[in-house]
Amino acid sequence: MGFVIAVDGPAASGKGTIASVLAKDFGYPFLDTGLLYRAVGVRLLDQGGDLDDAKAAQACAQNLDLAELERPDVRTRAAGEAASRVAVHGGVRAALLALQKDFAAQEPGAVLDGRDIGTVITPHAQAKLFVTATPEIRAERRWRQLSGQGEAVTYEDILADIRKRDERDSGRDSAPLAMAPDAVLLDTSEKTIDAAIDAARRIVEAARAKAGL
């Protein structure tokens, strides 16, 4: 088993950006697991399905092609909402479990970000980060991102989405959003992205030193 960096946290906390930079810095492949659930939700909607239909969502997850993660529409606000809704289905999570575990088993290591990486997917990960920020800060970041992509959204609507997703992600029965006991908390509320990345890099470097790397 290689060196695994698990980066968890709520929506728009900055974990995806941090994880992708860590992957480049340390030369590991990177998987944004949230895109898996977004792709499942988008595929289900494309089929005219119901996001609350557990069996239909599971069928979409079982046949997911990783190439679908490259679709532009998996990064929209609608896809984020769809992801949070299909992620509550245990069958969806089970269908994607092996894919994520296989990715994490690569040599010499891997970086994965999501909601349950350090708790469920790779509880053995040598470096675990839980990246968070206040709902207001996260809503502002997501609003700027989506506005920059041309989506007509308001900050108030995004904040409401963030709060709803936090409640759904933390309250679901299957693999809820939770900080692993051995994860390092990284609150990015008052940090620039560069400062947050520097802090994350130091956390990983300490874990690598502990592992003798």
Side-chain angles (χ1 to χ4, degrees):
M1 181 66 68
F3 187 87
V4 178
I5 303 172
V7 185
D8 287 309
S13 60
K15 66 182 183 299
T17 300
I18 288 171
S20 64
V21 173
L22 291 175
K24 291 178 183 176
D25 284 353
F26 295 102
Y28 297 147
F30 166 56
L31 177 63
D32 178 347
T33 65
L35 291 180
L36 297 174
Y37 294 93
R38 283 170 171 260
V40 170
V42 168
R43 172 186 269 205
L44 186 54
L45 290 174
D46 283 349
Q47 296 174 357
D50 181 353
L51 295 172
D52 298 320
D53 184 335
K55 288 187 177 180
Q58 180 178 345
C60 287
Q62 288 171 333
N63 298 308
L64 185 67
D65 183 341
L66 287 181
E68 294 178 55
L69 305 190
E70 303 302 321
R71 292 177 50 168
D73 54 354
V74 302
R75 297 184 181 276
T76 63
R77 177 187 175 194
E81 171 66 14
S84 187
R85 287 176 63 181
V86 299
V88 304
H89 304 312
V92 171
R93 305 199 73 84
L96 298 176
L97 183 66
L99 186 156
Q100 294 173 81
K101 284 185 174 292
D102 286 347
F103 189 92
Q106 297 180 77
E107 295 287 354
V111 180
L112 295 86
D113 90 82
R115 303 288 195 281
D116 62 349
I117 308 304
T119 54
V120 176
I121 306 302
T122 60
H124 61 279
Q126 298 94 327
K128 296 182 184 180
L129 292 76
F130 191 86
V131 182
T132 191
T134 66
E136 293 78 11
I137 293 291
R138 290 187 283 127
E140 182 177 355
R141 291 172 180 168
R142 182 53 54 84
W143 173 72
R144 290 181 183 279
Q145 176 192 15
L146 293 175
S147 296
Q149 293 173 0
E151 289 201 47
V153 293
T154 67
Y155 166 80
E156 290 76 16
D157 285 346
I158 296 299
L159 179 58
D161 283 353
I162 291 284
R163 294 189 187 281
K164 184 167 60 177
R165 288 187 64 186
D166 285 353
E167 183 177 359
R168 186 186 295 135
D169 292 347
S170 299
R172 67 187 181 219
D173 293 331
S174 178
L177 167 67
M179 179 174 166
D182 54 344
V184 179
L185 179 65
L186 177 54
D187 190 324
T188 66
S189 299
E190 303 299 325
K191 288 182 169 61
T192 64
I193 188 59
D194 287 342
I197 289 170
D198 285 343
R201 191 180 290 115
R202 288 195 296 272
I203 293 168
V204 173
E205 286 173 344
R208 283 170 56 83
K210 186 177 180 180
L213 296 176

